[in-house]
Every structure is written in C-alpha cells, then in structure tokens.
Amino acid sequence: MNELEKCLAGLNYNCHDEIFLEFKRRARELLTAYNSLSYEQKPEKTEILRKMFGGMGNNVSVGTPFLCDYGRNIYIGDNVSVNMNCTFVDCNRIQVGSNVLIASNVQIYTATHPVELAERLTPGWNPENGEYFCRTYALPVKIGDGCWIGGGVIILPGVTIGDGTVIGAGSVVTKDIPAHCVAVGNPCRVIREINQDRCDGMEDAVNSMKF
C-alpha cells in the first residue's frame, strides 16, 4: 500500500511523501490564481475550480480568499455557496452535497494526529529521512444536501452532517449530526428538529429553478 492509499484509507501516512508535496504545489499555484481574480470574473473562477476540485456541479460560488490543502479531494454538488475566508483541509475526501450554504470563516479539517504523545511522534525520526516528525492520518467529512453551515463553524475529521441540517454559527462539530435538525455549540449538539416535509418542498423548488 502506497502513502496515498494509506491516507485515503484513514491510516497513518507520510504527509511529506513526494506525491503530497506535488498535490500541495499544484493547489497553491491554482489558489494564487483563483484568489487574485475579481468578483466579476466568474467564468475564469469556475474554470480554476474545476481544475482544482475532484468534482464540482453547476452554480457553485466560492468566495475569496479561499484556502485548501490538495483541492483534488473536494467534491461539491449543484447550487452551493461557499462564502469568503473558508479553509478546507482536504487530505481525505470532503463531500459537500447540493443546495448547500457555507458561511464565512468555516473550517473543515480531515487531517489529525494521535492524542497520546508516544503514539503521535514518529519513532526514530530524524530530519534526513523525509518523514514528518509526527504521525498523521486523515478521515473524510461529508455535508449532506440542503445543509446550512453557519459562520465560523469548525468541522473536525470523520464527521458526517445529515441532509437539511443547520449548524449554528461558531459551533465546533466533533461528532456526526443527524439529518433535518438544528445543532449548535461546542461541542455541537442537536437542539431541535426541522420539518422534513417543508425542507423537501423547498429543495424541489430550488432544483426546478434555472440558473
């Protein structure tokens, strides 16, 4: 199993392997070009996003500045708005559904490290061996269709947020959140359910619109 396969499988991997350094180099190149474009240069922005992301639907807006790690592990559906100053650390897959709003300053992390220091440090590490001094692994994040992620939300590795759910501003999402609810806080917790029938009706209306 190579380092990329280990990474996507959620195993410890060498994040300084040449393949990841090349992913980062290409992403930084595309981000520099993307973040230099004006608001009105939408066709040029879309072209860069399609080069950078693993997959992207129609009617997707990503505000600037935007930061990501590799770009290639980000998959976004149709009718998605990502506001300014968001960070997607996509060492593993970040899946964003359709009809999703992501507010400003949202941070989505897939990369993480063992909690215990003895497990976190790379055994026998030295600066010459080309490895990172601590162990790293990455877990995918999924945001379902019809979600609204409020300003300043932090989503941690391995989290799935169900369809139609609203995450309140400033929340830190440490565990899975079910569909069709409002969840807030640190750690983020469900505070009430949302009427699913009304959510489905609104989603049908949005999907029927021509952009």
Side-chain angles (χ1 to χ4, degrees):
M1 184 178 286
N2 62 35
E3 296 303 314
L4 178 57
E5 290 169 337
K6 292 177 186 177
C7 173
L8 296 177
L11 303 175
N12 290 332
Y13 72 100
N14 177 16
C15 60
H16 282 191
D17 188 87
E18 185 60 35
I19 191 169
F20 301 115
L21 297 181
E22 175 58 24
F23 290 164
K24 285 176 177 286
R25 185 205 62 76
R26 183 174 184 273
R28 296 301 180 273
E29 184 179 278
L30 291 170
L31 285 168
T32 298
Y34 185 81
N35 288 321
S36 69
L37 294 174
S38 67
Y39 177 81
E40 293 78 15
Q41 292 178 282
K42 294 182 179 180
E44 294 87 347
K45 286 185 171 183
T46 297
E47 182 181 355
I48 292 175
L49 291 179
R50 291 200 184 280
K51 289 180 181 178
M52 185 163 54
F53 291 166
M56 188 179 81
N58 298 313
N59 193 39
V60 173
S61 171
V62 178
T64 56
F66 173 74
L67 291 175
C68 63
D69 217 8
Y70 304 156
R72 69 193 308 274
N73 290 330
I74 298 171
Y75 294 82
I76 294 180
D78 298 323
N79 309 324
V80 174
S81 174
V82 179
N83 215 319
M84 59 186 175
N85 207 39
C86 289
T87 300
F88 289 14
V89 181
D90 63 310
C91 299
N92 207 319
R93 186 182 181 102
I94 295 176
Q95 177 75 51
V96 178
S98 296
N99 306 316
V100 172
L101 300 176
I102 297 179
S104 302
N105 301 302
V106 168
Q107 302 168 56
I108 303 176
Y109 298 107
T110 64
T112 187
H113 312 281
V115 172
E116 296 292 339
L117 178 60
E119 297 177 10
R120 189 160 64 248
L121 298 178
T122 301
W125 178 84
N126 69 71
E128 308 301 325
N129 65 9
E131 291 187 305
Y132 196 43
F133 74 92
C134 69
R135 290 187 174 111
T136 301
Y137 63 100
L139 302 173
V141 168
K142 181 178 180 182
I143 298 172
D145 294 339
C147 289
W148 173 19
I149 311 299
V153 166
I154 298 173
I155 302 174
L156 297 188
V159 164
T160 293
I161 298 172
D163 294 348
T165 281
V166 176
I167 306 295
S171 298
V172 179
V173 189
T174 62
K175 296 181 180 180
D176 291 355
I177 303 295
H180 305 294
C181 67
V182 177
V184 301
N186 180 10
C188 190
R189 294 185 175 89
V190 175
I191 60 170
R192 71 179 179 89
E193 294 182 353
I194 297 173
N195 187 300
Q196 184 173 346
D197 292 336
R198 292 184 63 185
C199 289
D200 291 342
M202 286 298 294
E203 187 168 313
D204 290 341
V206 170
N207 288 333
S208 68
M209 296 172 68
K210 294 182 179 180
F211 292 92

